[in-house]
Amino acid sequence: MGVDVQQVVDHNGVQTDQLIVNMGPHHPSTHGVFRMVMELDGETITKLEPVMGYLHRNHEKIGERNTFLHNIPFTDRLDYLSSMGNNHGYVLAVEQLLALGARYDPPTYRAEVLRVLMVELNRIVNHLWALGFWLNDLGAFFTPVLYFTQERERILDLFEATAGSRMMCNYMRFGGVFADLPERIHSVSNLINDRVRDFDTMKFLTEMINERIPRTIDELDEYLTQNDIVLARSKGVGYISREDAIDYSTAGPVLRGSGVAYDVRRADPYSIYPELDFDVAVQQEGDMYSRYMVRLIELRESLRILKQLLPRLEYTKGEPVNENNAQYSSKVPIGEAYGRVENGKGELGFYVVSAGDKRAAANPWRYHVRAPSFINLTPLGLMCEGNKVADAVAILGSIDIVLGETDR
């Protein structure tokens, strides 16, 4: 943290000191390599500028060198807590182009069910992690995170058993998914004789959706929603109005916490979401507490969706899930497409252009990512002005960012 002191004269003609403080880029409260330049009057923030770009790694340009297929695991590294959702947004964009050709088979119904199953479980992982670390920022050091981690780890067990990886899942494919659910889950996915943990997958999934996750959400709600410290620290703090949230093009819980009922799953439905019953979570106050409540409600709505998927998994059992996997590298017809999904942090979009050979192209001519973490960080200064230095840390946590997709 660097500190600079400037002599200034206030509006009454009194000479005083104005502090300019650099919090970050290497600071545990900045959720990664990120810098906040704050101008302070005592402990009060008069101006804050977010400085990004320290993790820039040429993601989009490398994505234009990769083949279309190679970009699927590449998207895992954007928001590394939501790799299933990242995969989904990208394959939706490329599938729009593939549908222009003659040899493309769309995903089967079971593949669509598996996609939604994975992305909704991923949303729960994202929100549990976001709330846990936000509570860290408020001072509840790591106890909530450790409780939330229990359910997160079980969900990651399912990801590992199905996709082969806990976080960098690389699960979606053009026209389907990598593999169907395995019959049994072992503690280590590639040890078929492992007897330490050996569960029937559907029983494991059913218990998790009907008992374990609801119990975790109820505990979260009971202990935190009316907690005096949470209320005192978050109500009226980190405010962004409905108009500013729209003007800054914010997305996800930041936008819906300011009273805008915009969710891509309803605004521009994809996959099997049109046939599923769920509500868009909205709060009106625009402060940190509103964003907390939106995430809490969305945990319950994701659970509502998952319960509707269980019978669909039963009656689609045996259907193929990866009809197009025989082709190693897809040739994508010429054109441009934008695919978007409602990820845990908000709208995640992929813009891809296929150009070059008249018949088809093997890699994108243009590959661009609309990352919700980057968009939602831009009004951070507005949200922090007038609040205290300690609040800036919690306000940043309430936005829920991952710098892997912010800087790209």
Side-chain angles (χ1 to χ4, degrees), residues 55-320:
L55 274 181
H56 179 64
R57 55 200 186 283
N58 227 13
H59 178 96
E60 293 181 355
K61 211 62 188 171
I62 294 173
E64 294 167 7
R65 180 203 64 188
N66 293 341
T67 66
F68 284 97
L69 187 64
H70 285 157
N71 273 340
I72 297 175
F74 204 44
T75 65
D76 290 338
R77 279 74 180 170
L78 290 167
D79 173 3
Y80 43 81
L81 300 176
S82 303
S83 67
M84 292 291 189
N86 302 346
N87 287 181
H88 200 192
Y90 175 68
V91 298
L92 286 180
V94 177
E95 283 172 355
Q96 289 179 39
L97 295 175
L98 289 170
L100 301 174
R103 298 173 58 188
Y104 170 68
D105 294 316
T108 62
Y109 187 76
R110 182 169 180 83
E112 295 283 13
V113 172
L114 288 170
R115 285 181 174 185
V116 175
L117 171 77
M118 295 303 182
V119 297
E120 291 304 323
L121 286 170
N122 212 161
R123 192 183 316 280
I124 291 174
V125 167
N126 181 87
H127 283 1
L128 289 177
W129 214 237
L131 293 175
F133 279 100
W134 177 63
L135 290 159
N136 265 8
D137 296 332
L138 288 179
F141 192 64
F142 259 94
T143 301
V145 170
L146 291 176
Y147 275 96
F148 299 158
T149 297
Q150 295 179 78
E151 271 330 296
R152 174 180 183 268
E153 289 302 306
R154 288 185 178 86
I155 293 172
L156 298 190
D157 283 347
L158 178 74
F159 288 176
E160 182 185 13
T162 309
S165 176
R166 302 176 74 79
M167 292 183 70
M168 304 295 113
C169 295
N170 183 23
Y171 182 60
M172 309 285 176
R173 292 292 183 274
F174 305 134
V177 295
F178 162 67
D180 206 337
L181 296 175
E183 286 295 323
R184 303 194 73 80
I185 293 178
H186 302 277
S187 56
V188 179
S189 62
N190 59 355
L191 297 181
I192 59 173
N193 293 320
D194 182 11
R195 291 288 178 265
V196 178
R197 297 176 63 192
D198 185 3
F199 304 114
D200 180 278
T201 301
M202 282 309 295
K203 284 184 180 177
F204 178 87
L205 191 59
T206 303
E207 183 193 358
M208 188 163 66
I209 292 172
N210 288 328
E211 298 176 27
R212 299 200 62 92
I213 296 177
R215 189 161 59 235
T216 299
I217 298 172
D218 287 343
E219 288 176 353
L220 186 161
D221 193 1
E222 180 183 354
Y223 292 122
L224 297 176
T225 302
Q226 294 303 319
N227 180 282
D228 289 340
I229 297 174
V230 171
L231 291 172
R233 289 292 311 276
S234 64
K235 281 218 160 193
V237 180
Y239 174 75
I240 181 169
S241 68
R242 173 190 172 91
E243 292 73 24
D244 285 331
I246 295 171
D247 289 346
Y248 276 89
S249 192
T250 60
V254 175
L255 180 65
R256 292 190 286 276
S258 292
V260 182
Y262 178 83
D263 184 314
V264 179
R265 294 173 295 176
R266 285 291 187 233
D268 185 14
Y270 52 93
S271 192
I272 60 169
Y273 281 110
E275 66 184 65
L276 299 171
D277 290 328
F278 68 97
D279 295 319
V280 177
V282 186
Q283 296 286 297
Q284 303 297 329
E285 289 73 16
D287 54 14
M288 289 200 292
Y289 191 75
S290 287
R291 297 191 275 279
Y292 160 78
M293 286 302 299
V294 166
R295 292 190 178 99
L296 176 61
I297 296 168
E298 287 186 355
L299 285 170
R300 296 196 188 282
E301 292 301 321
S302 288
L303 206 54
R304 192 172 156 196
I305 292 171
L306 291 170
K307 287 179 178 176
Q308 296 170 60
L309 297 181
L310 287 175
R312 287 171 167 80
L313 285 172
E314 292 291 351
Y315 72 70
T316 59
K317 192 172 183 178
E319 282 187 12

Side-chain angles (χ1 to χ4, degrees), residues 130 134 251 253-254 288 291 295 344-345 372-373 375-381 383-384 394-401:
W134 177 63
V254 175
M288 289 200 292
R291 297 191 275 279
R295 292 190 178 99
K345 295 172 176 60
S373 290
I375 301 288
N376 290 341
L377 259 183
T378 53
L380 177 64
M383 297 158 83
C384 289
I395 293 168
L396 177 64
S398 76
I399 295 175
D400 180 23
I401 60 164

Side-chain angles (χ1 to χ4, degrees), residues 6 17-18 37 114 131 269 297 402 405:
Q6 294 181 354
D17 292 338
Q18 184 181 49
V37 182
L114 288 170
L131 293 175
I297 296 168
V402 159
E405 72 169 9

Side-chain angles (χ1 to χ4, degrees), residues 1-23:
M1 181 185 292
V3 179
D4 186 23
V5 181
Q6 294 181 354
Q7 300 287 325
V8 295
V9 179
D10 70 10
H11 61 280
N12 294 319
V14 178
Q15 185 170 311
T16 183
D17 292 338
Q18 184 181 49
L19 293 180
I20 299 176
V21 177
N22 280 283
M23 184 176 283

